[in-house]
Amino acid sequence: MSLILGLESSCDETAAALVDSERRILAHRVAGQEAEHQPYGGVVPEIAARAHVDRLAPIVEGVLADAGVTLAAVDAIAATAGPGLIGGVMVGLVTGKALAHAAGKPLIAVNHLEGHALSPRLADPSLAFPYLLLLVSGGHCQLLLVKGVGDYRRLATTIDDAAGEAFDKTAKLLGLGYPGGPAVERIARDGDPQAVALPRPLVGSAEPHFSFAGLKSAVARAAASGEHRVADLAASFQQAVVDCLVDRSRIALAACPDATAFVVAGGVAANGAIRAALTDLAARFDKAFVAPPLWLCTDNGAMIAWAGAERFAAGLTDPLDIAARPRWPLDAGAEAVRGAGVKA
């Protein structure tokens, strides 16, 4: 049995966790930065990086104390090495390197997306490869066939905005504050999802990818018109996102008949309406639907520790001179897509 310390600092959560190879979470702590970023309506990278500097060391100390272990008992240090806001990524990775060097432990540089991709296996021991994953977060929206640890085939990605990005921008347009995803979901419960006619970009097309920029622009125009209740706009926007995710996932499910399950992960996977619609879609294809607990969907140290445990079991460790990466695709050989393409 191995014990892995995981560190996460790629965006605006500072997190650490201790997870063993038997899927036991011995301790985990997360410090958010909502108060720091709320005045700006979104994450300010420099503020985020400075907050990580202040908070990460005390959080690591706290996690070790909570678990009642010392660094000597840890078998390896796993730290997010990208993708993400490069200042924050560097804070976590340099901390991981220092701990690994000081304690004489192996370093495991974890792709943040792999942390999300493997997190359902932390929550569900029965989940076997290969499975179809919808990875949907503030910075990414992808469909991936997860064939094994470090082995991914990208089936679709966004050609512009990610779904979580669209939620955040819509919340700002509607004056709902930050973070946007939970705010939109809350007010959408009091709205009519059919009240405002909004586009569903690429829905019904043969192209497998996602697009949310046009939807965001349509929300901006509808909000500026003054003709609609905020709750109706939020509900109609959320329903449009649901329809886009379901339609694109339908194409991927049809292309992956051998997938053991349909899995969703990432921060947007915490949205109840999205979970319900994807559950129904999986049932239509006679696939098990797997989603991590809500706390494991958003950024956290446990998913990084678990990804580290999976990589450590496979004999995958990294040198101390490995570089932080602002962009790091899971499928480096995937074909470039039209549009932005940088979030592939």
Side-chain angles (χ1 to χ4, degrees), residues 25 28 30 122 270 275 292-303:
I25 302 172
H28 73 94
V30 180
L122 172 59
R275 281 194 178 220
L294 297 185
W295 74 269
L296 200 53
C297 289
T298 53
D299 291 352
N300 62 86
M303 71 178 192

Side-chain angles (χ1 to χ4, degrees), residues 61 101 111 140 145 148 150 172-173 221 226 246 264 268 277 305 324 338:
E61 292 174 348
H101 180 67
N111 185 314
H140 297 84
L145 183 63
K172 192 170 185 179
L173 286 167
R221 290 191 295 270
V246 167
V264 63
V268 181
R338 66 184 178 92

Side-chain angles (χ1 to χ4, degrees), residues 4-327:
I4 310 297
L5 172 64
L7 310 178
E8 160 59 26
S9 60
S10 65
C11 191
D12 61 336
E13 280 94 8
T14 312
L18 280 165
V19 177
D20 69 23
S21 54
E22 299 298 316
R23 293 179 169 82
R24 290 180 297 188
I25 302 172
L26 277 68
H28 73 94
R29 291 192 181 195
V30 180
Q33 302 176 12
E34 292 181 12
E36 288 86 346
H37 301 291
Q38 197 163 40
Y40 307 98
V43 177
V44 181
E46 179 63 20
I47 292 174
R50 290 177 181 272
H52 292 311
V53 170
D54 292 338
R55 297 173 181 178
L56 186 53
I59 283 177
V60 171
E61 292 174 348
V63 163
L64 292 169
D66 292 345
V69 302
T70 66
L71 195 58
V74 173
D75 292 291
I77 313 295
T80 297
L85 302 177
I86 192 62
V89 171
M90 290 176 66
V91 172
L93 182 58
V94 168
T95 301
K97 289 178 179 182
L99 292 171
H101 180 67
K105 304 293 183 179
L107 173 71
I108 303 167
V110 174
N111 185 314
H112 178 81
L113 303 181
E114 184 165 51
H116 282 303
L118 297 177
S119 64
R121 283 172 51 83
L122 172 59
D124 186 352
S126 68
L127 180 60
F129 302 120
Y131 52 87
L132 178 65
L133 170 70
L134 172 62
L135 176 55
V136 57
S137 68
H140 297 84
C141 190
Q142 302 180 5
L143 283 157
L144 298 144
L145 183 63
V146 182
K147 301 165 75 174
V149 177
D151 189 2
Y152 303 91
R153 181 162 67 91
R154 195 203 73 201
L155 305 173
T157 188
T158 180
I159 64 172
D160 42 58
D161 290 350
E165 188 177 359
F167 267 98
D168 285 341
K169 290 179 179 177
T170 292
K172 192 170 185 179
L173 286 167
L174 300 182
L176 301 180
Y178 172 84
V184 170
E185 184 178 12
R186 280 194 301 271
I187 197 167
R189 297 189 186 108
D190 298 322
D192 177 0
Q194 307 302 323
V196 186
L198 295 173
R200 273 73 169 159
L202 297 182
V203 167
S205 72
E207 184 175 359
H209 301 301
F210 300 91
S211 173
F212 296 103
L215 173 58
K216 175 197 66 181
S217 298
V219 171
R221 290 191 295 270
S225 73
E227 299 174 0
H228 309 286
R229 296 171 58 237
V230 170
D232 288 341
L233 275 167
S236 298
F237 163 78
Q238 181 174 262
Q239 187 59 52
V241 173
V242 167
D243 292 345
C244 291
L245 294 176
V246 167
D247 184 72
R248 307 289 84 190
S249 298
R250 173 187 57 79
I251 294 174
L253 280 162
C256 298
D258 296 330
T260 62
F262 180 38
V263 178
V264 63
V268 181
N271 181 284
I274 290 173
R275 281 194 178 220
L278 296 178
T279 300
D280 291 343
L281 177 65
R284 280 161 45 193
F285 281 85
D286 197 26
K287 297 289 185 186
F289 179 71
V290 178
L294 297 185
W295 74 269
L296 200 53
C297 289
T298 53
D299 291 352
N300 62 86
M303 71 178 192
I304 302 304
W306 175 249
E310 295 246 42
R311 295 186 71 81
F312 189 64
L316 302 172
T317 61
D318 297 283
L320 291 179
D321 63 353
I322 190 166
R325 301 175 63 174
R327 296 196 176 108

